[in-house]
Amino acid sequence: MDLNINDKIVLVSAASKGIGRAAAELFVKEGCKVAICSTNQENLIKTAAEIKKNYGAEPFWIVCDLNVEGDIENTVFEVRKHIGEIDILVNNCGGPAPGRFDDLNEQDWSNGYNQVLMSAVRFIRLVLPSMKANEFGRIINITSLSVKQPVDNLMLSNAFRSALTAMSKTLSNDIGKHDITINNVAPGYTLTSRLYELAVSRAKETGDSHELILSKMASDVPMKRLGRPDEIASLIVYLASKQAGFITGQTFVVDGGVVKSTY
Ligand code: NAD
């Protein structure tokens, strides 16, 4: 299927690794002009070079700490300067610190708020005026299955991704008239460095090996395996397409069937 997004300008945040990187790769494959950002310059350079080698075009990259408002403003400014106005915004972020209520202090809550909720709010605020002027825009937030089924040890993720979901639904009512959609893609257990680190952290708590923890996670999934980043990326890119123009304000779980609810 031709997704009709050839030449669209895309920004994917937190995209030097994992799900963000997989989305950036697929947008490059679709012929979009892609920008990526993350905190780690070394990883960005490596990722941009690998994407160029594999798919023929190098994404524009820029260092950005999503906890810092000025970095977000600078990222949008530099993307505009080097590629143009952003048509498609993918709000990804590094996962917030794991922990239960008693494990988290004031600073942890403030970091989670800035990274998960406010980074998306700030990017959206910066790109909406040009999307409205162009009468086209696609915004996709990467959240988590935790918005449907909270995960015990991920208090900050549960709290702030739910806030992001409610904010997006509310915003969708106002921006639809400009052909701007906003949706959430909520991954389940997907094999990236984030999941690996969570398994290592759980291994320290339980005394089990991280390999055993990963294989137990996989056995809890009805599909009996962990997800792959490209499986999340396919939905992200579809939601950015012209064909997905009647879908807005929704959350789509991609989890191999882990969430037990029917809606
Ligand atoms: P990952 O660790 O593979 O990649 C995270 C990316 O975020 C990296 O590029 C990293 O450099 C970047 N990053 C981290 N902190 C940043 C910051 N402060 N500013 C800018 N960039 C920053 O993670 P992933 O597994 O691809 O996860 C992506 C998102 O999806 C996370 O929010 C994660 O919580 C969520 N998620 C992942 C899974 C999973 O199983 N992998 C499941 C549910 C939700």
Side-chain angles (χ1 to χ4, degrees):
M1 176 166 46
D2 180 356
L3 296 177
N4 287 302
I5 49 173
N6 192 29
D7 280 339
K8 290 283 183 212
I9 296 173
V10 184
L11 171 63
V12 187
S13 61
S16 66
K17 290 194 285 181
I19 294 166
R21 174 183 166 147
E25 284 176 353
L26 213 46
F27 279 115
V28 169
K29 254 174 113 173
E30 286 297 322
C32 300
K33 293 176 185 147
V34 178
I36 57 175
C37 67
S38 88
T39 39
N40 189 314
Q41 176 164 337
E42 208 179 307
N43 284 341
L44 281 168
I45 293 173
K46 189 166 163 274
T47 295
E50 285 171 5
I51 292 179
K52 181 172 184 193
K53 187 166 164 242
N54 294 335
Y55 304 105
E58 183 164 354
F60 173 74
W61 61 265
I62 179 161
V63 173
C64 170
D65 183 344
L66 294 172
N67 285 311
V68 180
E69 186 177 0
D71 277 19
I72 291 177
E73 287 167 354
N74 185 51
T75 297
V76 173
F77 176 83
E78 290 294 329
V79 173
R80 269 190 194 132
K81 195 166 92 184
H82 286 87
I83 329 184
E85 296 290 358
I86 294 161
D87 303 299
I88 298 166
L89 170 69
V90 180
N91 282 315
N92 188 32
C93 66
R100 290 167 188 265
F101 189 85
D102 287 346
D103 303 325
L104 302 167
N105 61 29
E106 189 69 22
Q107 190 60 50
D108 296 325
W109 279 94
S110 175
N111 287 345
Y113 166 75
N114 272 305
Q115 189 167 1
V116 176
L117 178 61
M118 288 313 292
S119 67
V121 169
R122 287 166 179 150
F123 272 124
I124 292 169
R125 199 191 280 141
L126 290 163
V127 303
L128 264 186
S130 62
M131 287 182 174
K132 284 180 184 170
N134 292 338
E135 292 289 323
F136 178 82
R138 297 283 183 265
I139 302 168
I140 299 113
N141 306 310
I142 313 309
T143 63
S144 167
L145 60 71
S146 67
V147 299
K148 299 272 184 187
Q149 190 167 283
V151 180
D152 284 348
N153 192 38
L154 297 181
M155 175 60 81
L156 295 176
S157 173
N158 300 340
F160 291 117
R161 294 187 202 281
S162 295
L164 177 57
T165 305
M167 184 278 286
S168 300
K169 180 66 184 169
T170 313
L171 180 60
S172 70
N173 297 328
D174 293 334
I175 58 180
K177 58 180 173 282
H178 299 287
D179 193 10
I180 306 172
T181 65
I182 178 163
N183 290 290
N184 310 300
V185 172
Y189 302 117
T190 310
L191 194 52
T192 64
S193 55
R194 156 94 176 158
L195 194 72
Y196 181 83
E197 282 153 21
L198 284 176
V200 169
S201 137
R202 220 164 280 171
K204 279 186 194 142
E205 275 173 36
T206 60
D208 289 334
S209 71
H210 66 267
E211 289 92 346
L212 183 65
I213 290 186
L214 285 172
S215 90
K216 275 190 186 156
M217 277 182 195
S219 71
D220 288 342
V221 179
M223 299 305 292
K224 297 296 163 205
R225 66 176 177 85
L226 299 172
R228 299 189 314 269
D230 66 282
E231 293 176 305
I232 316 295
S234 306
L235 179 58
I236 297 169
V237 173
Y238 175 69
L239 289 171
S241 71
K242 291 265 175 70
Q243 286 90 332
F246 202 50
I247 303 173
T248 195
Q250 303 303 309
T251 294
F252 298 95
V253 177
V254 186
D255 70 345
V258 168
V259 169
K260 299 300 174 212
S261 110
T262 52
Y263 57 90

